[in-house]
Amino acid sequence: MQISGSKARRQLARLWPGPARRVRQMARLWLLAALGTWAGPVAAQMGAKDIGEWFPDGQTIKDASFQLPTTRYAHGVLGDAIEFGGLSISFDGRNGVTSNVTVELPTDHVFEDMEPRLVDLNLDGHADAVMVVETDMALGAALALYGPSGKIAETPHIGRTNRWLAPVGAADLDGDGHIEIAYIDRPHLAKTLRIWRFSNQRLNEIAQIPGLTNHRIGDDYIFGGIANCGSAPEMILASGNWRRLQSVTFDRGWDVKDLGPLSSKGALEALSCDQNK
């Protein structure tokens, strides 16, 4: 099984609702209140158009976490109004020394997401980027890629406030030797799977598939993910009406396959490649 990022095991657990996100957020808010400030690495201010250079060779990202809990954006799509203003990245540099860098967003942006996902952009077997939902409070969500040097690339923001996207994952979805990132655009409204290819340090959209979703308003988890059970990665999602379990794969074109009635058991089996057991 392959689910992009270092949080694969936890993503499987999030097929069911749970209070973990809220507990972590409140703990961080209490810590901030106790300290009166945030004590951490020097933060780099990054705006929506601040695209950094990508230096993957010799750098391996080991971990990433959200920092700076904030209530400045009261959307609450994930069940509460607590989002994040910072992203901490731990990485091994070319000299083998582990370093940490923290990106602090401008005050009109937040990270509106469950957790950062580690991504292998150059497909060499080592994580070299972090994928996150970054929201412009006036223009809605975008899917962004960050590295130790800053923002690498991002999709366009949806275009208006209180509009969100739910990540599916990242993998070479069509076997062309480039990584693709996928998300559900407005999983409660548009319910459209959008797929973007990362090439030449840019994200270019290559597909839109309607009628799919992976999140309900207020849930503190994102349904499904990416499994690799055979010749090609398989995106596991729900139908737009939440009645059927769906898979999306590429074989000379994008193919949507019905896996049967929607259930947590069926989704877990699909993600763990146990559908025929």
Side-chain angles (χ1 to χ4, degrees):
M1 180 188 70
Q2 173 185 318
I3 300 178
S4 174
S6 66
K7 309 296 185 182
R9 186 175 303 169
R10 184 172 164 214
Q11 194 166 356
L12 279 175
R14 288 195 170 277
L15 291 170
W16 299 272
R21 178 179 189 265
R22 188 172 297 109
V23 169
R24 290 197 316 275
Q25 290 168 334
M26 292 307 299
R28 286 170 179 155
L29 282 179
W30 291 331
L31 177 61
L32 287 173
L35 293 175
T37 184
W38 179 70
V42 176
Q45 291 282 349
M46 295 292 295
K49 297 182 179 180
D50 294 331
I51 306 298
E53 293 185 77
W54 180 45
F55 299 111
D57 294 337
Q59 291 187 348
T60 299
I61 295 178
K62 309 300 289 185
D63 195 16
S65 61
F66 289 130
Q67 306 291 335
L68 304 178
T70 178
T71 57
R72 65 185 181 231
Y73 183 57
H75 187 196
V77 72
L78 291 168
D80 55 46
I82 304 170
E83 307 305 340
F84 297 93
L87 172 67
S88 177
I89 300 173
S90 174
F91 64 99
D92 288 344
R94 297 179 183 88
N95 57 4
V97 175
T98 299
S99 302
N100 292 278
V101 63
T102 296
V103 173
E104 182 177 345
L105 293 175
T107 57
D108 60 350
H109 280 228
V110 295
F111 292 116
E112 191 179 13
D113 203 348
M114 296 298 310
E115 56 197 356
R117 301 154 190 83
L118 304 192
V119 176
D120 177 10
L121 285 183
N122 61 2
L123 298 173
D124 68 349
H126 302 283
D128 45 38
V130 180
M131 185 171 70
V132 290
V133 179
E134 181 177 338
T135 294
D136 181 311
M137 292 162 60
L139 298 175
L143 196 56
L145 295 168
Y146 277 88
S149 299
K151 188 182 292 183
I152 299 167
E154 70 177 352
T155 65
H157 290 270
I158 291 172
R160 59 177 295 183
T161 190
N162 292 344
R163 293 295 181 265
W164 186 68
L165 60 86
V168 177
D172 182 3
L173 295 172
D174 58 4
D176 68 343
H178 296 285
I179 200 81
E180 281 83 35
I181 65 173
Y183 62 84
I184 299 293
D185 181 3
R186 291 159 290 172
H188 326 114
L189 296 170
K191 301 180 181 180
T192 298
L193 173 64
R194 300 182 68 175
I195 303 169
W196 299 70
R197 177 180 295 130
F198 180 77
S199 179
N200 298 320
Q201 289 192 232
R202 292 180 177 273
L203 287 168
N204 297 296
E205 189 168 21
I206 61 171
Q208 291 191 21
I209 304 172
L212 298 165
T213 190
N214 60 351
H215 185 263
R216 293 184 176 100
I217 292 177
D219 281 353
D220 65 350
Y221 66 102
I222 295 172
F223 179 87
I226 299 178
N228 196 341
C229 302
S231 59
E234 185 176 10
M235 290 175 277
I236 305 300
L237 300 164
S239 61
N241 60 9
W242 284 97
R243 294 179 180 175
R244 309 295 295 180
L245 186 64
Q246 310 275 275
S247 75
V248 181
T249 55
F250 185 87
D251 183 10
R252 303 179 187 175
W254 297 101
D255 179 48
V256 180
K257 179 181 178 182
D258 186 274
L259 300 181
L262 185 70
S263 69
S264 294
K265 180 177 182 292
L268 183 60
E269 289 175 349
L271 286 167
S272 57
C273 306
D274 288 336
Q275 292 165 277
N276 298 319
K277 294 184 180 180

